[in-house]
Amino acid sequence: MRIILLGAPGVGKGTQALLLARALNVPQISTGDMLRAAVQAQTSLGLDAKSFMDSGRLVPDEIIIDLAVDRIKQPDCAHGFIFDGFPRTLAQAQALHEKDVAIDHVIEIKVSDEDIIRRLSGRRIHQPSGRIYHVDFDPPHTPGKDNHTGEDLIQREDDKEVTIRKRLHVYRDQTEPLVAYYQQALPSGGLTPQFHCISGTGDVAQIQGEILGLLGR
Ligand code: AMP
């Protein structure tokens, strides 16, 4: 099961990828999480990536392709993986194909722009634990404070509304062309993945059930 989850920021790719990873017993590979860990650890990759991420732009292809391709060479990917947030440009998708990384399923998750802005701009994070809240849908007991420690919650720099709009623009411009790319047979033979599209609006468990159904599980 080698799966790509495709969709704009905020459609719930990360949530669904995590559930799917558990259900299929394969790792979730989020290039966004890998980059955030590198930023936190202040590695040279993190230092290079930070300004792109904070402003809602994509990190250059040559950095991200090596990161993703090296990751799936790890032994835990032997039976498959779920890419969450990769590939995000045609060059990244073509690099996978050229490196003979076969993909079985591509699942596009769709949510309206207004819903995405509401979801992301209300998100708050307790950085030390990774706990996530939402000012409307899952508010902390005390506004701005973590329920368990009472410490401050933060808003990710790229979850500010102006940056979300920029990220949506970048998605339409650079990532959406992958929908057409994966809907047709891939060039020069090789396995063409099955393409599916679902709505990301509604109950998390129900969407997960729908995805598992598409995968024949
Ligand atoms: P995410 O958490 O997946 O939304 O990723 C956060 C940020 O990391 C993005 O806005 C990009 O700046 C960067 N990033 C993550 N994945 C990629 C990718 N495949 N290509 C380029 N940049 C990426």
Side-chain angles (χ1 to χ4, degrees):
M1 278 289 182
R2 292 153 301 193
I3 297 170
I4 292 173
L5 290 187
L6 205 57
V11 298
K13 287 191 305 292
T15 305
Q16 292 299 334
L18 186 63
L19 293 173
L20 207 50
R22 286 195 197 134
L24 302 176
N25 200 22
V26 294
Q28 168 199 11
I29 301 176
S30 157
T31 40
D33 283 351
M34 292 168 81
L35 291 172
R36 276 185 288 280
V39 169
Q40 190 95 28
Q42 300 190 337
T43 64
S44 67
L45 166 68
L47 296 176
D48 287 347
K50 188 174 185 324
S51 64
F52 292 99
M53 296 172 74
D54 283 350
S55 63
R57 286 173 297 154
L58 294 182
V59 170
D61 286 331
E62 50 280 12
I63 296 182
I64 212 84
I65 290 169
D66 286 347
L67 189 73
V69 171
D70 286 348
R71 176 64 187 85
I72 58 173
K73 289 183 186 150
Q74 302 297 314
D76 62 338
C77 294
H79 301 295
F81 49 79
I82 297 160
F83 271 140
D84 155 17
F86 181 87
R88 249 167 152 119
T89 63
L90 272 177
Q92 293 175 17
Q94 283 160 350
L96 276 185
H97 186 58
E98 277 152 22
K99 289 174 191 285
D100 289 326
V101 178
I103 301 294
D104 302 292
H105 296 272
V106 176
I107 303 169
E108 184 196 12
I109 307 180
K110 279 188 147 171
V111 172
S112 72
D113 282 6
E114 305 86 84
D115 280 354
I116 288 175
I117 290 166
R118 187 141 179 251
R119 284 182 185 189
L120 291 186
S121 62
R123 187 156 71 170
R124 299 290 180 273
I125 296 173
H126 177 241
Q127 218 163 12
S129 68
R131 277 187 285 278
I132 297 176
Y133 300 84
H134 192 283
V135 293
D136 297 322
F137 309 134
D138 182 19
H141 302 325
T142 307
K145 303 286 178 195
D146 177 52
N147 287 350
H148 296 266
T149 63
E151 289 167 344
D152 285 343
L153 302 179
I154 60 142
Q155 182 177 35
R156 251 167 66 176
E157 205 48 50
D158 58 353
D159 280 346
K160 306 216 161 131
E161 183 167 340
V162 55
T163 316
I164 298 168
R165 289 192 185 278
K166 166 85 181 157
R167 290 164 73 197
L168 286 173
H169 178 76
V170 166
Y171 179 79
R172 301 279 169 254
D173 201 41
Q174 301 195 54
T175 310
E176 215 165 50
L178 294 185
V179 170
Y181 176 81
Y182 282 119
Q183 276 177 322
Q184 63 203 10
L186 292 183
S188 62
L191 176 76
T192 294
Q194 287 185 43
F195 182 87
H196 320 270
C197 178
I198 61 161
S199 162
T201 306
D203 180 60
V204 168
Q206 187 197 321
I207 297 168
Q208 177 67 193
E210 229 176 289
I211 294 178
L212 287 171
L214 291 172
L215 301 176
R217 297 294 169 130

